Amino acid sequence: MKEERSLSLLQLMVNEGLVPSLEEEENRKTVIEKLKQVHGSESDIDALCVGPYFATMVDDFFIVLYNMLKSRPEVSEIYCVKDVKVPLMRFVFDGILIDLPFVQLKVLVVPENLDILNPVFLRDIDETGWKSLSRVLANTQICRLVPDLKKFQSMLRCVKFWAKRRGVYGNLNGFLGGIHLAILAAFVCQCDPFVGLSALISHFFKKFAFWPWPRPVELQDETLHPTLNPTETRLYMPIRLPFSSYEYCHSNITKSTFYKIRTEFLRGHNLTKDLLKFDFDWHNVLEPFPYTKKYAWFLKIFLSASKQDELGDWVGWIKSRFCCLLFKLEEVQGLCDPNPAEYIDVNIADPHVIF
């Protein structure tokens, strides 16, 4: 019966387009190859631009490379996100959303087969560059530490789909980002390495519905010594990065979004604690959050600009400060407490319409 539950979940993922086809996988690989040549499904690509010591973020990355990318016919909706912890360019390349941060290495030439994890290349990297590297380092370590990579990938696809459906996905909006969910899913895979996919999902909800936050979640890694950073326990949901004993995932989780996430973990647990029930259905677990039934009032934010380029920069700036709005709303007593984040909708207006 548990095997049937896993198979039905996999089929649901295929029906929802969560499992990329061979054609989509090839398209993603082609996009990455094209990106490498710039110097001479709903999932986005987190890439990393690596430059030598004389290449600067201000000039070479945000001006020279920006103009090179902008001139390519495959690129659209490109804009720079500068005033954030991890500055990056965001654009659509052949229909796929790309997040492209930058890191400067202390080398004269960046070889094509660069091993970015080599300690020699990680020396003397500034704080901004180190944060840009964190995604690559984290993803590499997660793939190394999970007992079954294929099972982990299937689980993560499902968990991300759940988070998006239930309105708890998106670090910029104060919820869980991709790296948070990846580490949480990997943690469950390490704890229960021999169970099937459906049981992993059930254990995921149970584990974090009752997790004693702010106790940090840490992957088991014999090469690192577990440590507790007192400053990080002030976070609502501290999750340690798997390549460091003291660094944690950047988080915008607030009081209200923490409450929302915990509520959804508990709901998921209640719906999956008995996978063998006759009427069990994954569609109930993954049902979209009923915003219009739960709330009568919503706040919309309209952004507009006379030019598309200006709108892109404006959108990036606003998104980078969106969590500040959540903090302000939480300070307003009686404003749909405890979940202001649930009823905020960001709507990007037509760039040619001025409000």
Side-chain angles (χ1 to χ4, degrees), residues 96-111:
I96 296 179
L97 179 64
I98 308 290
D99 278 350
L100 185 67
F102 173 80
V103 62
Q104 181 190 58
L105 300 184
K106 304 300 182 183
V107 295
L108 181 62
V109 178
V110 179

Side-chain angles (χ1 to χ4, degrees), residues 27-40 45-50 65 68-69 72 74-75 91 93-94 98 100 110-115:
N27 186 35
R28 290 167 65 86
K29 292 177 182 178
T30 301
V31 167
I32 293 173
E33 289 303 315
K34 287 184 178 181
L35 276 175
K36 289 181 179 179
Q37 298 167 5
V38 168
H39 68 279
I45 292 178
D46 291 326
L48 178 67
C49 178
V50 181
L65 182 59
M68 294 173 71
L69 287 169
R72 293 183 68 96
E74 308 98 325
V75 174
F91 52 93
F93 197 113
D94 272 348
I98 308 290
L100 185 67
V110 179
E112 184 66 27
N113 59 346
L114 172 72
D115 179 11

Side-chain angles (χ1 to χ4, degrees), residues 142-340:
I142 290 171
C143 292
R144 183 180 70 84
L145 294 173
V146 292
D148 187 325
L149 181 58
K150 186 175 181 180
K151 191 187 298 183
F152 161 75
Q153 290 173 329
S154 296
M155 179 189 179
L156 183 57
R157 286 191 181 108
C158 182
V159 167
K160 279 188 176 182
F161 185 58
W162 161 81
K164 292 176 181 179
R165 280 287 184 95
R166 300 304 300 174
V168 292
Y169 185 81
N171 189 42
L172 283 176
N173 299 335
F175 292 110
L176 297 167
I179 185 60
H180 303 93
L181 291 173
I183 295 174
L184 295 182
F187 180 81
V188 175
C189 288
Q190 286 188 329
C191 294
D192 304 291
F194 303 112
V195 301
L197 177 61
S198 61
L200 281 174
I201 301 298
S202 176
H203 294 177
F204 173 85
F205 289 125
K206 181 179 180 180
K207 184 79 68 177
F208 299 115
F210 303 107
W211 187 262
W213 306 104
R215 175 185 168 187
V217 176
E218 302 175 282
L219 293 183
Q220 302 169 29
D221 186 354
E222 67 281 356
T223 64
L224 296 176
H225 300 288
T227 59
L228 183 63
N229 186 342
T231 60
E232 296 302 339
T233 58
R234 300 172 192 171
L235 296 174
Y236 285 100
M237 302 180 73
I239 301 172
R240 187 171 66 82
L241 290 166
F243 57 83
S244 171
S245 297
Y246 56 88
E247 293 187 67
Y248 291 75
C249 296
H250 172 67
S251 175
N252 290 323
I253 294 175
T254 69
K255 179 181 178 181
S256 64
T257 58
F258 173 72
Y259 177 89
K260 165 70 172 174
I261 294 169
R262 288 294 299 271
T263 300
E264 290 300 328
F265 278 146
L266 186 58
R267 174 187 177 274
H269 167 64
N270 289 331
L271 291 175
T272 60
K273 61 185 178 182
D274 190 356
L275 294 172
L276 304 184
K277 288 178 60 177
F278 176 76
D279 60 347
F280 178 84
D281 190 342
W282 283 111
H283 289 88
N284 296 330
V285 182
L286 302 172
E287 181 184 13
F289 186 84
Y291 289 100
T292 55
K293 292 182 180 180
K294 189 173 178 63
Y295 301 108
W297 296 91
F298 297 84
L299 171 62
K300 281 192 176 183
I301 302 172
F302 289 89
L303 304 179
S304 63
S306 57
K307 298 180 180 179
Q308 183 67 42
D309 292 347
E310 294 176 356
L311 179 64
D313 294 338
W314 181 222
V315 169
W317 190 89
I318 290 295
K319 284 186 174 181
S320 69
R321 286 157 177 78
F322 189 73
C323 60
C324 298
L325 174 61
L326 297 183
F327 283 117
K328 292 295 183 182
L329 289 175
E330 289 179 358
E331 294 173 358
V332 180
Q333 294 185 359
L335 182 57
C336 297
D337 188 73
N339 274 326

